[in-house]
């Protein structure tokens, strides 16, 4: 297939040849070719939670979002915390991707678990890194004692594995819960898991990375206080990298009113004052990547009252339209979109395999979010009018025409 006269990020016009055995010529002067998105943070729910998502539906959602590689999290059922569970998970994933006929590129995180710290080094060549939940989230993976946390960072440094932290301080949020928990008010979630809950954990993780010389990736950074800590650490030469999410960039605590339980996510939505700080941190390179933290739950689960409603929201499909809408509003440059969605994650996680995967975006197309391929069937972005939609995703030489 040839996409004729397509724009590149560098501002040139080229004919993009895809060697897919199809001689069709597509007039593409209205399209822009970007490297396909790498989503470093998804929860595709296999095994055990497949009523929420699986790799057949998840892969379709990824392709719809111009994404051809994902890093999947270990908080499944059973959790991915041993070589055995890791291998079993891969078998299931490969079979579901075959069913979808979508050979999505993927890597898996191993979850750090107190009882299974010996497994970390064992699987180092089979995983993208170690995921540490410093505070409880969905599932019951958590490292909330200093001894185990030290051990993880020590192993990671020795084995040259990256530590990806869910940085929320378990003790502090447990202490706050009785004061703020209110089953009739989802917004209490942001009070229980307040800014200090995040900053305390980020501070500790940075100290450990510094002490042991480990490489640290701070997942879903959502506050200006975390940004300040990471900025300082980067200046001091600590090997620390930061991710933010679409929901922390585009939603704040006002969203509880319209979304109710659908807005409940860990770390929680923040006061609006944090949003400009996130955009500024992207501009300055303090935030390196955007991970969708695609965490689907069914609507039935999300409609439960506070305390029973699980945390997390889907998001993999709409990262690019959201960012292109921000581009139109002057909040971000095209170059930064490429850094955030593809380039930096490849560098940080040492993805050496090259690929010729592309996402072809119509930057001027405006459309409402109306549907999703995610098995959960809903999106917090539903009804939003966004400008800049992927029209084709190219993966391993195959062209996927999208019906956004
Ligand atoms: O909101 C969240 N949902 N945060 C997490 O850390 C986990 C995720 C999930 O798996 O549902
Ligand atoms: Zn997550």
């Amino acid at each position: 297939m040839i996409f004729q006269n397509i724009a590149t990020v560098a501002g040139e016009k080229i004919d993009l040849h895809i060697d897919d055995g199809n001689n069709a010529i597509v007039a593409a002067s209205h399209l822009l070719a970007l490297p396909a998105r790498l989503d470093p943070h998804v929860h595709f729910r296999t095994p055990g939670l497949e009523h929420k998502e699986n790799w057949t539906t998840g892969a379709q959602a990824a392709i719809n979002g111009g994404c051809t590689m994902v890093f999947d999290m270990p908080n499944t059922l059973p959790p991915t915390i041993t070589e055995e569970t890791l291998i079993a998970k891969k078998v299931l994933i490969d079979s579901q991707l075959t069913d979808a006929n979508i050979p999505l590129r993927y890597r898996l995180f191993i979850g750090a678990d107190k009882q299974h710290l010996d497994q970390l080094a064992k699987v180092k060549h089979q995983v993208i890194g170690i995921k540490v939940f410093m505070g409880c989230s969905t599932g019951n993976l958590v490292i909330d004692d200093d001894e185990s946390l030290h051990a993880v960072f020590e192993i990671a440094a020795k084995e040259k594995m990256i530590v990806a932290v869910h940085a929320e301080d378990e003790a502090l949020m447990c202490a706050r819960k009785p004061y703020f928990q209110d089953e009739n008010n989802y917004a209490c979630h942001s009070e229980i898991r307040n800014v200090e809950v995040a900053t305390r954990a980020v501070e500790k993780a940075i100290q450990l990375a510094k002490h042991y010389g480990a490489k640290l990736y701070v997942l879903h950074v959502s506050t200006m206080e975390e940004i300040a800590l990471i900025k300082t650490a980067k200046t001091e030469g600590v090997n620390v990298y930061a991710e933010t999410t679409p929901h922390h960039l585009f939603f704040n605590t006002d969203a509880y009113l319209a979304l109710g339980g659908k807005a409940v996510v860990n770390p929680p939505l923040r006061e609006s004052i944090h949003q400009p700080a996130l955009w500024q941190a992207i501009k300055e390179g303090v935030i390196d990547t955007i991970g969708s933290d695609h965490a689907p739950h069914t609507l039935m689960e999300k409609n439960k009252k506070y305390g029973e409603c699980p945390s997390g929201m889907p998001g993999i499909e709409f990262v690019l339209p959201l960012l292109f809408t921000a581009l139109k509003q002057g909040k971000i440059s095209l170059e930064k979109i490429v850094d955030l969605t593809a380039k930096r994650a490849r560098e940080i996680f040492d993805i050496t395999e090259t690929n010729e995967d592309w996402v072809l975006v119509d930057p001027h197309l405006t459309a409402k979010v109306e549907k999703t391929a995610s098995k959960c069937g809903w999106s917090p972005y539903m009804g939003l009018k966004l400008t800049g939609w992927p029209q084709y995703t190219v993966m391993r030489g195959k062209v996927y025409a999208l019906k956004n």
Side-chain angles (χ1 to χ4, degrees):
M1 217 157 179
I2 301 172
F3 291 93
Q4 211 165 43
N5 214 17
I6 196 166
T8 67
V9 175
E12 294 155 351
K13 288 278 191 173
I14 60 162
D15 291 343
L16 180 64
H17 292 249
I18 309 297
D19 195 8
D20 63 347
N22 178 347
N23 292 327
I25 296 175
V26 180
S29 59
H30 61 301
L31 298 178
L32 173 63
L34 308 169
R37 203 163 76 72
L38 189 175
D39 196 328
H41 189 163
V42 306
H43 301 261
F44 276 1
R45 305 304 192 199
T46 293
L49 298 166
E50 285 139 318
H51 64 290
K52 302 172 195 271
E53 190 76 282
N54 61 41
W55 284 73
T56 305
T57 48
Q60 186 61 57
I63 291 294
N64 289 357
C67 169
T68 64
M69 185 185 262
V70 298
F71 300 165
D72 187 60
M73 291 299 168
N75 57 333
T76 46
L77 210 61
T80 317
I81 52 177
T82 60
E83 185 174 33
E84 196 186 338
T85 50
L86 189 73
I87 291 169
K89 181 172 177 173
K90 280 188 177 160
V91 170
L92 287 171
I93 291 173
D94 291 342
S95 141
Q96 293 175 9
L97 290 178
T98 304
D99 287 348
N101 197 20
I102 300 176
L104 193 70
R105 300 175 198 271
Y106 72 90
R107 299 283 194 278
L108 303 180
F109 278 101
I110 179 104
D113 177 69
K114 288 171 221 182
Q115 318 303 334
H116 299 92
L117 293 179
D118 63 309
Q119 297 289 305
L120 301 178
K122 209 167 166 188
V123 299
K124 73 171 173 181
H125 296 301
Q126 301 168 64
V127 298
I128 193 68
I130 304 168
K131 168 76 180 272
V132 177
F133 283 92
M134 295 174 75
C136 277
S137 190
T138 303
N140 40 24
L141 269 182
V142 69
I143 299 274
D144 55 359
D145 66 293
D146 282 352
E147 194 186 334
S148 310
L149 202 56
H150 273 261
V152 171
F153 277 84
E154 191 172 8
I155 295 167
K158 179 160 173 263
E159 305 295 341
K160 300 202 178 341
M161 297 170 83
I162 191 163
V163 186
V165 289
H166 178 119
E168 288 190 288
D169 187 87
E170 180 67 13
L172 185 58
M173 74 174 128
C174 286
R176 293 179 64 81
K177 220 178 205 168
Y179 296 98
F180 295 100
Q181 179 125 358
D182 176 356
E183 65 174 40
N184 298 312
N185 180 17
Y186 295 108
C188 74
H189 193 62
S190 296
E191 297 297 332
I192 296 171
R193 294 173 175 256
N194 73 345
V195 171
E196 201 189 340
V197 166
T199 46
R200 243 191 224 189
V202 168
E203 204 163 13
K204 194 185 255 185
I206 289 173
Q207 272 168 12
L208 288 167
K210 205 169 167 176
H211 181 74
Y212 289 104
K215 190 170 182 179
L216 174 66
Y217 182 75
V218 184
L219 298 154
H220 39 48
V221 168
S222 58
T223 66
M224 59 176 118
E225 288 81 355
E226 291 167 281
I227 290 166
L229 289 168
I230 292 164
K231 189 173 175 174
T232 306
K234 282 189 170 192
T235 322
E236 291 172 5
V238 183
N239 215 352
V240 56
Y241 305 91
E243 170 196 278
T244 193
T245 72
H247 42 279
H248 290 109
L249 284 169
F250 292 92
F251 290 134
N252 56 50
T253 46
D254 295 347
Y256 286 115
L257 201 60
L259 294 176
K262 290 186 226 163
V264 174
V265 63
N266 302 334
L269 299 181
R270 305 295 185 187
E271 299 287 329
S272 61
I273 192 165
H274 295 280
Q275 291 172 291
L278 294 177
W279 289 108
Q280 182 61 25
I282 288 172
K283 211 177 205 170
E284 293 177 14
V286 178
I287 286 176
D288 298 278
T289 63
I290 186 163
S292 68
D293 197 359
H294 179 79
H297 298 283
T298 66
L299 267 184
M300 207 160 59
E301 292 162 340
K302 291 297 269 178
N303 285 334
K304 290 185 178 171
K305 63 182 184 210
Y306 187 74
E308 290 171 17
C309 154
S311 296
M313 52 176 76
I316 194 167
E317 279 170 284
F318 306 113
V319 170
L320 280 173
L322 286 163
L323 289 178
F324 270 87
T325 304
L327 172 74
K328 197 179 147 206
Q329 294 164 350
K331 286 184 174 165
I332 190 169
S333 68
L334 187 56
E335 195 191 349
K336 275 291 170 192
I337 292 181
V338 175
D339 285 353
L340 277 182
T341 62
K343 191 163 166 249
R344 291 294 292 135
R346 294 184 64 87
E347 292 166 357
I348 295 164
F349 290 91
D350 294 325
I351 303 291
T352 47
E353 77 185 42
T354 54
N355 73 47
E356 290 288 316
D357 293 355
W358 298 97
V359 51
L360 313 184
V361 174
D362 181 343
H364 301 295
L365 180 68
T366 299
K368 267 190 186 168
V369 177
E370 279 176 341
K371 57 183 174 18
T372 172
S374 171
K375 195 169 180 189
C376 72
W378 64 277
S379 161
Y381 307 105
M382 220 51 107
L384 277 191
K385 213 181 200 189
L386 302 176
T387 300
W389 288 83
Q391 297 297 288
Y392 298 89
T393 299
V394 180
M395 179 173 67
R396 302 184 199 266
K398 182 171 170 185
V399 177
Y400 298 80
L402 310 176
K403 297 168 223 90
N404 286 317

